[in-house]
């Protein structure tokens, strides 16, 4: 497990509504002169990519921004967080910058893309 944990001041996990998950592709496909493509594994495992949202207050948005920029160094460091589907604590890394949209009620809808380890 990672040394860093998701901030307690933020929602503990991503919302299930709108959550999407997929696996990275661990297969190399090579075109052949004739017949089907040759396929082989690039590596033994595939990481799961999860994209979801959390809704935060202005104060929580500042905590999230500090966590993203300073604590996990713009997503380069891994952290522990509850998995949105199993609710078990897992190790993640942010693989895209966070996206914030004000919903007009003093709250921000934040989209986060995670890589599960």
């Amino acid at each position: 497990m990672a040394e860093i944990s998701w901030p307690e001041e933020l929602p503990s996990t991503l919302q299930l509504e709108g959550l999407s998950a997929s696996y990275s592709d661990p297969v190399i496909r090579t075109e052949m002169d004739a017949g089907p493509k040759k396929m082989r594994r690039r590596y033994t495992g595939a990481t799961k990519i999860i994209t979801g949202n959390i809704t935060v207050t202005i104060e929580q948005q500042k905590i999230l921004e500090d966590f993203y920029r300073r604590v996990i160094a713009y997503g380069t460091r891994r952290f522990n967080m509850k998995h949105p589907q199993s609710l078990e604590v897992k190790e993640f890394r942010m693989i895209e910058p966070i996206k914030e949209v004000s919903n007009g009620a003093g709250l921000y809808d934040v989209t986060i893309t995670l890589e599960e380890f």
Side-chain angles (χ1 to χ4, degrees), residues 63-108:
I63 293 167
L64 177 60
E65 186 173 326
D66 180 65
F67 178 74
Y68 177 69
R69 295 174 70 192
R70 188 182 58 77
V71 179
I72 62 168
Y74 295 93
T76 60
R77 299 183 70 199
R78 297 180 185 191
F79 59 94
N80 301 319
M81 178 183 186
K82 277 188 186 176
H83 191 286
Q85 295 165 313
S86 69
L87 300 181
E88 295 177 27
V89 175
K90 299 278 186 161
E91 191 171 333
F92 293 97
R93 177 173 54 195
M94 285 190 197
I95 59 170
E96 291 183 8
I98 54 177
K99 297 174 183 78
E100 305 168 349
V101 177
S102 174
N103 68 9
L107 301 172
Y108 289 89

Side-chain angles (χ1 to χ4, degrees), residues 6 14-15 18 20 50-56 64 68 94 96-101 108-114:
W6 181 253
L14 303 178
Q15 300 166 0
S20 67
I50 300 172
T51 301
N53 298 306
I54 58 172
T55 301
V56 296
L64 177 60
Y68 177 69
M94 285 190 197
E96 291 183 8
I98 54 177
K99 297 174 183 78
E100 305 168 349
V101 177
Y108 289 89
D109 293 321
V110 181
T111 301
I112 298 173
T113 302
L114 302 171

